[in-house]
Amino acid sequence: MNGKEPGDFLDAQSGLVFKEPLIFELDAGEGDGLSFGKKQVPGPGLGIPQEFLRQELPIPQLTEQQVVRHFTRLSQWNFCVDTGFYPLGSCTMKYNPRVNEEGASLEGFVSIHPYAPEQAVQGALALMYELESMLAIITGMDRVTLQPAAGAQAELTGMLMVRAYHRDSGSPRKKVLIPDSAHGTNPASCALCGFQVVQVPSDERGLLSPKDISSRLDEDVAALMLTNPNTLGLFEENILEICEMVHSVGGLVYCDGANLNALTGIARIGDMGVDLLHMNLHKTFSTPHGGGGPGAGPLAVKAILEPFLPVPRVEKAGEDFCLREDFPKSIGRVKAFYGHFGVLVRAYGYLLSLGPRGLTEATRRAVLNANYLRVALRDLYHLPYDRLCKHECVFSDRNQARLGIQALDIAKRLMDYGFHPPTIYFPLIVKGALMIEPTETETLETLDRFVEAMRKIALEAQNEPETVRSAPHITKVGRLDEVAAARRPLLVAPRAKVGSSNQGPF
């Protein structure tokens, strides 16, 4: 029994649901989990100094079946878009067609080497060239770089180009205007480039005010950095006038395109006067987002900024494709090699499979679904900006806060009803924010179940508030100490308990 009592085993299981321990805690120290034939075990002649060789490795001694079951059980604890509704506002956790995963995993793509000669990778270069062209058409911009690894790096790339542009023009500038509803990465990217961030407050409608922008404009403003639709899910209605005003003092306009899922196929940011725009392929164009996987943040620019794009650039010479680096005004490389190629393949497949009509339909459904939830819940949840929204809607906990229920409590209680919590407490300009983005792929039945859950929680807040405050109740673990998890994270496996050879820390 390995020192355990029968009750210990029963405590570790409820029906068919296991309370899976760490893999090191499964180790009974009774023997090897595998064996190598002598001919398969490399000898000591590997050139590794003796002092770096260990005689014993603290590897758990488990059978193959134990290992497979352990990781399979852990995988069953996960909640993801394949198992349920994931209304994570601002992050577009939408369904991504499996066919694009198949395309990205083709042997010719996954085995390609970044040092392969250009003539050996013509197909990959053609894909990148055509993807750049498609993204330029979709956004109304002139040129695209696929190098940035994610949206935040695209912002950094864009602001480096803004700085290079003004220096090249003989007018280096210091200030960048950023709305108070912006993503947190916006001011961070500007600060990294040496710019002074000037915050611009949103007006009573949640939008940028041309009058307010005008009062802050002078010839030291390098750029305005906005998001459209903004993080409230609202379209910046005055963007044409605002872009014209910024240009009138020699400034540039950067658009954070994290919310492009609300515009694709309907409107083009480039037609609105924007000079730089980044996209998140891992959100808008078919790559699962979250979980630490690779992303891609292509940056699109107008022709005046093309000389400053990163290198290398994919160019077409006759019938061949090549990589060129001879651009003297370029800001240089921002990413090793050419970006996250697998993400680019998925986006390429997504665009080809949907086509213009499919992209437009996806956007329409995303906007329709968000407005469906907005209207269905506004009688119970405070809606600070009760207007037609785009891809997401932002409620607040103001009605429930009077009863002692916070946004965090509502989010936790949603887990008991089988839904992933939405984004909470963002954007910062909405106290107790609940940001919900249903995306285009959820069915009416799913949306109605979500509405029913949210309405039940609102009633619970009135009639049995402690049920909401102490949620979740039927999840694998209950309410966690999130402050302790953030400030005192335990990132190292504890020492193994069993076996004299398993005493070392990892």
Side-chain angles (χ1 to χ4, degrees), residues 119-324:
Q119 282 304 314
V121 292
Q122 284 294 297
L125 295 179
L127 184 150
M128 295 168 68
Y129 184 86
E130 292 176 12
L131 178 59
E132 285 185 357
S133 299
M134 287 191 284
L135 294 176
I137 292 172
I138 289 172
T139 58
M141 305 297 277
D142 296 315
R143 192 65 197 262
V144 176
T145 174
L146 301 175
Q147 270 195 36
Q153 196 189 21
E155 293 172 20
L156 178 63
T157 303
M159 299 318 294
L160 287 172
M161 292 177 64
V162 168
R163 188 176 68 178
Y165 168 84
H166 287 300
R167 285 180 175 176
D168 184 69
S169 303
S171 177
R173 300 178 176 212
K174 297 179 181 176
K175 297 188 292 189
V176 175
L177 308 184
I178 299 181
D180 56 4
S181 61
H183 293 106
T185 51
N186 289 182
S189 299
C190 292
L192 282 172
C193 295
F195 289 115
Q196 173 192 347
V197 175
V198 179
Q199 188 178 82
V200 182
S202 304
D203 65 12
E204 67 281 358
R205 301 176 69 231
L207 304 176
L208 286 175
S209 162
K211 184 178 179 181
D212 198 300
I213 294 288
S214 177
S215 68
R216 298 167 196 274
L217 284 177
D218 57 38
E219 294 187 352
D220 206 19
V221 171
L224 164 68
M225 195 174 196
L226 54 75
T227 303
N228 198 19
N230 64 26
T231 57
L232 294 166
L234 306 177
F235 185 80
E236 291 288 353
E237 297 174 353
N238 302 307
I239 189 170
L240 296 178
E241 182 181 357
I242 290 173
C243 288
E244 188 174 334
M245 291 165 51
V246 175
H247 290 156
S248 69
V249 297
L252 299 170
V253 179
Y254 184 105
C255 182
D256 179 333
N259 295 337
L260 198 61
N261 207 43
L263 297 180
T264 304
I266 301 290
R268 306 198 310 171
I269 292 288
D271 296 338
M272 303 173 195
V274 165
D275 302 293
L276 307 94
L277 162 74
H278 84 254
M279 297 151 268
N280 291 340
L281 297 189
H282 51 285
K283 291 167 65 174
T284 310
F285 298 113
S286 188
T287 286
H289 179 46
L299 177 69
V301 300
K302 288 294 180 61
I304 57 170
L305 291 162
E306 183 175 345
F308 309 98
L309 280 168
V311 291
R313 302 179 201 170
V314 183
E315 301 282 356
K316 190 172 185 181
E319 295 300 318
D320 295 332
F321 297 91
C322 60
L323 293 166
R324 288 184 55 194

Side-chain angles (χ1 to χ4, degrees), residues 79 84-89 369-370 372-374 376-377 380-381 393 395 410-415 417-424 434-439 442-458:
F79 188 92
F85 186 33
Y86 210 122
L88 196 62
N369 285 356
Y372 184 81
L373 295 183
R374 177 181 64 85
L377 295 172
L380 291 178
Y381 291 90
C393 51
F395 295 93
I410 297 168
K412 296 295 185 184
R413 184 59 175 154
L414 266 173
M415 296 165 68
Y417 286 105
F419 297 103
H420 191 282
T423 294
I424 56 175
L434 289 154
M435 177 192 278
I436 300 170
E437 181 177 5
T439 78
E442 297 299 339
T443 65
L444 181 60
E445 185 271 339
T446 299
L447 298 184
D448 284 340
R449 283 199 301 110
F450 179 76
V451 169
E452 183 182 3
M454 288 288 287
R455 298 185 74 84
K456 283 183 177 178
I457 294 171

Side-chain angles (χ1 to χ4, degrees), residues 317-339:
E319 295 300 318
D320 295 332
F321 297 91
C322 60
L323 293 166
R324 288 184 55 194
E325 300 202 27
D326 53 332
F327 299 96
K329 294 185 180 181
S330 167
I331 61 169
R333 283 179 178 265
V334 297
K335 177 81 173 68
F337 303 112
Y338 320 112

Side-chain angles (χ1 to χ4, degrees), residues 381-424:
Y381 291 90
H382 175 239
L383 192 60
Y385 303 98
D386 190 4
R387 301 174 44 221
L388 184 71
C389 64
K390 295 305 173 186
H391 63 302
E392 63 193 7
C393 51
V394 179
F395 295 93
S396 87
D397 65 4
R398 191 171 80 176
N399 295 345
Q400 288 70 38
R402 298 169 183 152
L403 307 169
I405 301 297
Q406 310 298 319
L408 178 66
D409 304 323
I410 297 168
K412 296 295 185 184
R413 184 59 175 154
L414 266 173
M415 296 165 68
D416 286 333
Y417 286 105
F419 297 103
H420 191 282
T423 294
I424 56 175

